[in-house]
Amino acid sequence: MGVRVHAGSGHDSGWWGPVHLPSGEIGHWSIGPLDLWLQRRAGEWDLWLARERDPDDSGFRRVVPAQKPVPEKPAEQRRFAGTGDDVGASLGVALADRPVVSRPEAPFHVPPGGEVILYVSTPAWVQLRLGDARVHEFPAYPASDTWFGSDTVEGELCYASRTAARMALDEVPERVHRIVTPLIVRNGSADTLLLERIKLPVTRLPVYADPHGRLWTPGVRLEREPERDMAEVKLGEGPPAHVPRAERVAEPREAGGSRFSLRTFSALFQ
């Protein structure tokens, strides 16, 4: 059997979807900084992970059978046995399983009544499914933990992520392992707002893939409420307006309404 190689970011060639492997064969996926190997054997699937490349690596490549060998000491190795020979595997896209607190590389101020649109990216997670069961999930690149709240009692555990927070769409880097959220921030208060940390409720968002293979969420609007330490959150419906042909590839982790308020606004923007 010849080597099958795919590289690029076309929508039909995204890194998610069914896994086609004959028994005994190993496939290799490069998803940004993540290397992933899968092997199908009689009654089981084997998984290996490695993250040895630059976190900003943006490429995607799938090679079957694998040409790059499985490392002797992978970052993670798992066996899933007892699946039956007729059970297939697939890779799925997901957002993080906690809110993500992003720090713009350069904080800035929003004057009273001002409004700004930012494009914020957060890490994609990979879900491994065997048949209809989700058996494992992991970030393409792990984010560190951070506490978000006014003190050590009031708040919640989140993930921390750096973002360029671009204001121009054409300046947003194309990276297969990150998911972009159009974020509108409006300062409805009489005080100037320092945009230093942005908490995104990613567990409430679905994921869309555009025809070029880029991953998006619906738009999110945060409005600082007058004379209150709160932010009103409005979640958009459907893909961003500039990607009308995008296909929904992941559902939200949590159900809920499209409008709600975030507490401890001073912890959100300090």
Side-chain angles (χ1 to χ4, degrees), residues 165-176:
R166 307 287 187 183
M167 296 186 193
L169 181 59
D170 58 2
E171 294 179 359
V172 179
E174 293 190 32
R175 291 178 288 190
V176 298

Side-chain angles (χ1 to χ4, degrees), residues 257-268:
S258 60
R259 294 192 179 191
F260 52 94
S261 292
L262 287 176
R263 297 183 181 277
T264 61
F265 194 91
S266 60
L268 176 58

Side-chain angles (χ1 to χ4, degrees), residues 151-168:
D151 54 42
T152 57
V153 177
E154 296 291 333
E156 62 182 321
L157 187 63
C158 302
Y159 292 113
S161 178
R162 279 283 180 186
T163 180
R166 307 287 187 183
M167 296 186 193

